[in-house]
Amino acid sequence: MARSARHLTSLLRVSTRVRFAPAPTGFLHVGSARSALFNWLYARSTGGEMILRIEDTDAALRKPEFIDAIVKPLQTLGITWDEGPYYQSQRKQFHVEAVEQLVENGHAYFCNLTRDEADALAAEAGLPAGYHGWSRDKGIEDGPDCVVRFRTPDEGEVVINDLIRGEVRFQCSELEDFVIRRSDGSPTFLVANAVDDADMSITHVIRGEDLLNTTPKVMLLWEALDLDDKPEYAHLPLLVNEQRKKLSKRRDDVSLMDFLAQGYLPQAMVNHLALLGWGPPDEKEIRPIEEIIELFKLENVNKGSAFFDTVKLDHINGEYIRALPVDDFVSMAEPFVYAVDTEVPWEREQYRPEVFAFIAHEVQQRVNVMREIPNFIDWLFVDEVSYNERAWKKAMEKGKQVPEILDGIIERFTDVDWTAEALNGAVSAVGDELGARSQVPARVAITGTNAGIPMWDAVSMLDRDVVLRRLRKARSLL
RNA sequence: GCCCCCAUCGUCCAGCGGCCUAGGACGCCUGCCUUUCACGCAGGUAACACGGGUUCGAAUCCCGUUGGGGGUGCCA
């Protein structure tokens, strides 16, 4: 959008315009996804528009693959935008002009000090760390190692009426003369922020609380540049880890795509994210996005940080999985059981899709995350099962008359009709004869563990030889 | 250090001066259902950080303390 369009659009400010403005850091962070979601919810619930703007003023962030890493996950989540993506790097000339304007009208000045030099000066002068306007009024000319700093007012205050937090006040005296143009000539995000939000007629800036402290600086620039109506601000509570620290790339699992790749459904992820910092008035947590849009109110967003709890996510995801039509579940399961780049516990050639499809409805009832699927079906596609240690101890070592039970089952299985009903009947008959529980030992011998899907339908699809071999092996280990 | 923000069950959310002997969800525990597990169902566990005000009345308003977090870059 050209700058000249600014006046027109702001005159026509009929609806809310929000923007999601991530820095392209290589992948979409769940925290960023949450910010995007809340912007989107606000736009959709107010009939407004959402703009996607990539904040790549730092040259190091300007890589095409980084853009994809933002756009794709958003699309997957169903978070759509009405305009953009715009790139701050492509709007650089406007930011440069703004900086020039500020220098010209005395709101900014050149400074040739490095950070270290400025710190040394502060230490010498016995002042607290920070930049203390050393280069103000020194008549320093622009040069290769010069930055441009904004001259913050010596007194007065900046008041922000945050839609979530209420009034937040900053004393101008606490704000240092911050850099608005680097020595390589590139403007920093603070300038880009003010100029772009004005040009794009943004009415509401909704973002993480970690940016709250930068807001007064942008406000000051806004005024010094004589821009139009300021947007409203709303600072969202941060998403934190178990230690209550801001979710970080280094310590925590925060890649949205990684979560999706593990088999969290996009809708479940969105639902969960919406519940962090906000809750529906009627306390019904799991619900379609349309209802969330309808119920969403920015004023109802919390102030306190929220723990990104994957245990709760698992539960929500499980609900979404169970609500899926079986056919959808089966096709969505494919990447987790068969895709070439998937690690599965069986030889790829051994996998039989028709077997999985046959018992998929039972698996669907039991998984919370798609990646758990192989745990329920591995015994169907491997030659030999490995025994779950606890299950073996409990059912086989501590169980009553297990050798006799297995002997009985082996004998009957040798010539029983190979149908689920007959197999089940045979095992129960052995148990009845001996007055012992026969189902669990059979399960452990055949599947390797004591918990899982109802098994006889599935077993009937295995070869008699395979099943007998497993029973005999288990018997021999007792 | 300085600036800013925050504070209800372990966790997420409800509560916006009386409806609160604080509600829902996840987790955990118990029971029912079930020839395993899970689902489902019925129960249970567990919180207003502390201290002062204001008020007839405070989880809700104000102040302070404590605790937690964020920022403090020529990153955004």
Side-chain angles (χ1 to χ4, degrees):
Chain A
M1 183 188 301
R3 287 203 77 187
S4 56
R6 175 174 112 212
H7 299 287
L8 181 63
T9 49
S10 57
L11 278 172
L12 295 174
R13 189 179 277 190
V14 289
S15 66
T16 54
R17 280 169 67 83
V18 300
R19 40 68 153 195
F20 174 54
T25 52
F27 63 91
L28 191 73
H29 191 286
V30 288
S32 305
R34 208 270 303 242
S35 290
L37 174 65
F38 277 47
N39 271 283
W40 183 81
L41 286 172
Y42 186 66
R44 290 290 171 270
S45 65
T46 57
E49 293 165 333
M50 168 143 147
I51 287 145
L52 175 62
R53 186 173 78 212
I54 309 294
E55 308 232 313
D56 57 350
T57 63
D58 185 357
L61 303 178
R62 224 163 290 148
K63 294 183 184 167
E65 64 269 27
F66 282 13
I67 307 305
D68 231 40
I70 288 171
V71 168
K72 263 204 64 192
L74 287 178
Q75 287 172 335
T76 308
L77 292 180
I79 298 175
T80 53
W81 51 94
D82 304 289
E83 279 179 35
Y86 295 118
Y87 299 90
Q88 281 194 326
S89 58
Q90 289 177 4
R91 295 178 42 82
K92 186 176 174 182
Q93 51 162 325
F94 302 130
H95 311 146
V96 168
E97 282 164 21
V99 171
E100 282 167 0
Q101 184 188 332
L102 291 169
V103 171
E104 271 162 36
N105 61 202
H107 281 296
Y109 58 88
F110 296 106
C111 169
N112 54 9
L113 260 33
T114 63
R115 190 77 219 179
D116 287 347
E117 288 166 343
D119 286 346
L121 283 171
E124 261 173 54
L127 290 165
Y131 183 86
H132 297 277
W134 311 112
S135 303
R136 278 187 183 187
D137 306 315
K138 291 275 167 60
I140 295 169
E141 298 284 316
D142 199 1
D145 292 321
C146 272
V147 297
V148 176
R149 285 181 181 273
F150 181 77
R151 182 181 192 124
T152 58
D154 295 327
E155 43 196 54
E157 58 180 10
V158 179
V159 181
I160 294 154
N161 264 307
D162 193 280
L163 262 25
I164 292 170
R165 270 147 234 286
E167 214 171 72
V168 183
R169 293 166 178 274
F170 296 87
Q171 294 304 313
C172 291
S173 54
E174 299 290 346
L175 268 22
E176 70 170 29
D177 286 357
F178 52 92
V179 172
I180 58 174
R181 193 209 70 184
R182 305 182 185 94
S183 53
D184 67 0
S186 62
T188 60
F189 91 108
L190 294 164
V191 190
N193 235 265
V195 171
D196 292 352
D197 283 345
D199 283 359
M200 295 173 189
S201 297
I202 301 303
T203 62
H204 298 263
V205 174
I206 304 167
R207 27 120 89 143
E209 196 205 324
D210 50 344
L211 291 166
L212 182 55
N213 290 306
T214 70
T215 309
K217 296 177 183 175
V218 176
M219 294 291 85
L220 254 17
L221 287 170
W222 200 283
E223 281 160 18
L225 287 165
D226 196 27
L227 298 169
D228 293 332
D229 298 350
K230 285 177 190 150
E232 305 264 18
Y233 280 85
H235 287 94
L236 266 17
L238 257 21
L239 254 36
V240 298
N241 63 20
E242 216 148 11
Q243 288 76 244
R244 299 253 121 209
K245 305 246 190 251
K246 181 170 83 156
L247 243 36
S248 105
K249 193 173 178 169
R250 295 197 53 181
R251 292 186 293 259
D252 313 305
D253 293 330
V254 295
S255 164
L256 189 102
M257 271 315 200
D258 285 354
F259 278 99
L260 298 185
Q262 286 180 58
Y264 288 98
L265 309 192
Q267 302 93 310
M269 182 58 88
V270 164
N271 199 147
H272 181 239
L273 251 19
L275 261 14
L276 298 176
W278 176 85
D282 59 6
E283 302 190 323
K284 187 184 164 204
E285 296 188 323
I286 298 177
R287 66 200 316 164
I289 191 66
E290 291 76 22
E291 290 182 21
I292 293 176
I293 292 170
E294 200 169 316
L295 263 12
F296 184 80
K297 293 253 189 325
L298 200 49
E299 313 87 81
N300 290 98
V301 173
N302 284 179
K303 301 186 183 99
S305 51
F307 171 48
F308 184 74
D309 188 358
T310 53
V311 174
K312 177 118 181 201
L313 209 209
D314 283 358
H315 171 259
I316 293 174
N317 202 56
E319 295 279 320
Y320 274 83
I321 287 178
R322 271 170 249 129
L324 248 28
V326 187
D327 291 348
D328 290 1
F329 174 72
V330 171
S331 54
M332 289 172 73
E334 198 158 307
F336 300 90
V337 295
Y338 193 59
V340 276
D341 56 349
T342 309
E343 267 191 51
V344 285
W346 49 77
E347 299 293 323
R348 206 164 298 282
E349 314 79 65
Q350 307 272 54
Y351 180 71
R352 294 161 67 200
E354 74 283 5
V355 173
F356 175 60
F358 189 55
I359 46 87
H361 65 286
E362 296 290 359
V363 178
Q364 182 180 9
Q365 289 293 112
R366 290 167 175 77
V367 297
N368 283 327
V369 188
M370 299 300 265
R371 72 159 130 71
E372 297 164 358
I373 294 172
N375 296 342
F376 287 91
I377 60 172
D378 55 357
W379 59 278
L380 287 162
F381 308 120
V382 296
D383 282 337
E384 265 187 51
V385 294
S386 54
Y387 304 110
N388 174 288
E389 205 177 314
R390 283 187 56 194
W392 181 269
K393 274 201 181 114
K394 196 173 165 208
M396 307 302 252
E397 289 177 9
K398 292 185 180 165
K400 302 239 165 34
Q401 304 185 66
V402 177
E404 293 77 8
I405 290 168
L406 291 184
D407 284 338
I409 294 173
I410 290 165
E411 193 187 324
R412 285 170 186 260
F413 272 22
T414 312
D415 56 7
V416 71
D417 274 355
W418 205 247
T419 64
E421 204 177 32
L423 289 165
N424 185 24
V427 171
S428 290
V430 170
D432 291 347
E433 265 171 29
L434 296 167
R437 288 167 62 86
S438 56
Q439 293 280 346
V440 175
R443 177 178 286 275
V444 174
I446 298 168
T447 75
T449 189
N450 62 345
I453 58 172
M455 66 187 294
W456 300 115
D457 273 332
V459 173
S460 73
M461 299 191 80
L462 291 178
D463 287 344
R464 189 187 300 259
D465 290 349
V466 171
V467 176
L468 282 172
R469 199 190 318 136
R470 287 185 194 174
L471 288 164
R472 288 194 185 104
K473 182 180 173 200
R475 173 65 183 89
S476 73
L477 291 171
L478 288 167

